[in-house]
Amino acid sequence: MGFNPTLLVFTAILMTWAGGAHSATHCPPCGNTTVPYPLSTSTTCGDQSYKIICNASTGTLVFPTLNNTYPITSITPSIQRLTIKPSTILPNTCVTADLSTQGILLNQSLPFNVTSSNTILYLNCTENLLSSPLNCTSTSLCHTYVNNTPSVSECESAPICCSFRAGGSSTSYQIRVRDSGCRAYTSFVNLDPNLPVSKWPSPSLEIQWVSPAEPVCGSQSDCDGNSTCGPDPSTVGVNRCFCDEGLWWDPIDGTCVYNVTCQDPNGCDNSTDHTALIAGLSSGLGVGLLASRMVEEEKLMDVVDPMLKEGATTLELDTIKALGFLAVGCLEERRQNRPSMKEVAEEIEYIIAIASAKVAQT
Ligand SMILES: *[C@@H]1O[C@H](CO)[C@@H](O)[C@H](O)[C@H]1NC(C)=O
Ligand SMILES: *[C@@H]1O[C@H](CO)[C@@H](O)[C@H](O)[C@H]1NC(C)=O
Ligand SMILES: *[C@@H]1O[C@H](CO)[C@@H](O)[C@H](O)[C@H]1NC(C)=O
Ligand SMILES: *[C@@H]1O[C@H](CO)[C@@H](O)[C@H](O)[C@H]1NC(C)=O
Ligand SMILES: *[C@@H]1O[C@H](CO)[C@@H](O)[C@H](O)[C@H]1NC(C)=O
Ligand SMILES: *[C@@H]1O[C@H](CO)[C@@H](O)[C@H](O)[C@H]1NC(C)=O
Ligand SMILES: *[C@@H]1O[C@H](CO)[C@@H](O)[C@H](O)[C@H]1NC(C)=O
Ligand SMILES: *[C@@H]1O[C@H](CO)[C@@H](O)[C@H](O)[C@H]1NC(C)=O
Ligand SMILES: *[C@@H]1O[C@H](CO)[C@@H](O)[C@H](O)[C@H]1NC(C)=O
Ligand SMILES: *[C@@H]1O[C@H](CO)[C@@H](O)[C@H](O)[C@H]1NC(C)=O
């Protein structure tokens, strides 16, 4: 049988990538800031359990807690984490601006929690804290911080401060400040306590989110062409868009994707070299084409991984080109300008047929 296994793998990659390029559920950018799935800035995009706020006038994202909001300073969707800027310590006092709302309180019914990468410093604490498991000794990092940070010098006159690494069950959902406990706090992500305070990062609190389940649906019309609305076996009365057979749910991209891993040991070449080349091809083409939408042949070949081109036959290069042009078609902004899945499949079959016919001749 004449199908070139390498082409089949290219095809699988191409289809995955074409599928991932369009998702109805991703939110538009907030100003210049990308809003990755599953985060949601409106009821019509993202996953509604992952609500954040877009301040459109400043183009900045804001993280809502139970009674307050905090600016989002970074988002890393691949590890499902974001960082927020903690409340500042008010001038001429040792009190954080969010004392009135008791600091950072997360709604425990939502899929966000505080990661164990945070070192929390509690300042201006009452004696109650001395019986807590926190480190409130005179060598605690909070003293190091206060003694070396002019902006919080007021806290030097508040004798009790404590530090701890977040992530315990009692701190997964709150960094609490109150009159009967501590009145100020700050937080540092991945702090190396051996560094001098002048080398510490800016105050920041890291929050992680639980992998999103498939989107909730009322009917099939809420699901895209790759999934079917059906009952969620783990939650009675909830329906979700479950990926159709042969596809799987990718909680990072928020789409159904083809498994790149080959299912047929006879039909694929899974040597590591190839994996690297294919990754190069898919990312090179993907990034290059998405960035510039160029369609000129030379440029198209420029973005193909150089390692892949080296040693490729003219036929293989032609095939890559053909698949590349097809991919450009799939990236068209308007739906009516994009080929349908059926047309794509036919086109790929045609390309493969030509390639394998020529291979047979040689
Ligand atoms: C998923 O569905 C969308 C819209 O129906 C379609 O454009 C895309 O090609 C599909 N992706 C896959 C991997 O089937
Ligand atoms: C977005 O970026 C453009 C170009 O870098 C800049 O001119 C514009 O002010 C930015 N807009 C916002 C809201 O940050
Ligand atoms: C957006 O940010 C500006 C400047 O920080 C602020 O004045 C405004 O109240 C914010 N708008 C919303 C809706 O939060
Ligand atoms: C500590 O907090 C109390 C209660 O809010 C406040 O009155 C006091 O001024 C704070 N101490 C310092 C040194 O700022
Ligand atoms: C949060 O807001 C609710 C409703 O406004 C209020 O009842 C509650 O006391 C507030 N909690 C805190 C900690 O501020
Ligand atoms: C917490 O989140 C749940 C789930 O979205 C919501 O029903 C509830 O009202 C929230 N609680 C508060 C106090 O906001
Ligand atoms: C408190 O923290 C300091 C500085 O990290 C450390 O040297 C000390 O051993 C800690 N003490 C306790 C009781 O954990
Ligand atoms: C916090 O979230 C992570 C992953 O999102 C989860 O594994 C962990 O169990 C959560 N922690 C708590 C205390 O809920
Ligand atoms: C596809 O990949 C996912 C995640 O790697 C795996 O759980 C699933 O079993 C795979 N599906 C098939 C049909 O191999
Ligand atoms: C490819 O992987 C399959 C299953 O993991 C294995 O059985 C097969 O021997 C591998 N083929 C090559 C060429 O490494």
Side-chain angles (χ1 to χ4, degrees), residues 53-55 57-58 60 62:
I53 298 161
C54 172
N55 185 330
S57 61
T58 55
T60 52
V62 178

Side-chain angles (χ1 to χ4, degrees), residues 295-324:
V295 288
E296 295 154 61
E297 180 168 317
E298 294 313 313
K299 288 191 184 162
L300 178 64
M301 293 318 288
D302 281 349
V303 296
V304 172
D305 190 299
M307 284 213 301
L308 187 67
K309 276 190 285 190
E310 232 169 81
T313 64
T314 315
L315 172 62
E316 282 165 348
L317 286 177
D318 284 341
T319 308
I320 293 168
K321 250 182 251 176
L323 290 170

Side-chain angles (χ1 to χ4, degrees), residues 282-297:
S282 60
S283 63
L285 274 176
V287 172
L289 293 179
L290 277 170
S292 56
R293 310 243 160 179
M294 64 208 173
V295 288
E296 295 154 61
E297 180 168 317

Side-chain angles (χ1 to χ4, degrees), residues 11 19 25 45 70 100 115 138 196 198 215 230 256-257 270 280 313 322:
T11 308
T25 56
C45 68
Y70 297 85
S100 61
T115 76
S138 60
S198 61
C256 294
V257 295
N270 46 2
T313 64

Side-chain angles (χ1 to χ4, degrees), residues 15-16 18-19 22 224-226 247 256-258 335 338 341:
M15 291 170 90
T16 307
H22 314 283
D224 68 12
N226 311 322
L247 299 169
C256 294
V257 295
Y258 285 96
R335 172 172 281 270
R338 294 199 301 265
M341 212 55 219

Side-chain angles (χ1 to χ4, degrees), residues 22 24 60 83 131 137 182 194 219 241 250 361:
H22 314 283
T60 52
T83 56
S131 56
T137 65
C182 304
N194 299 316
S219 69
C241 299
D250 179 340
Q361 282 167 16

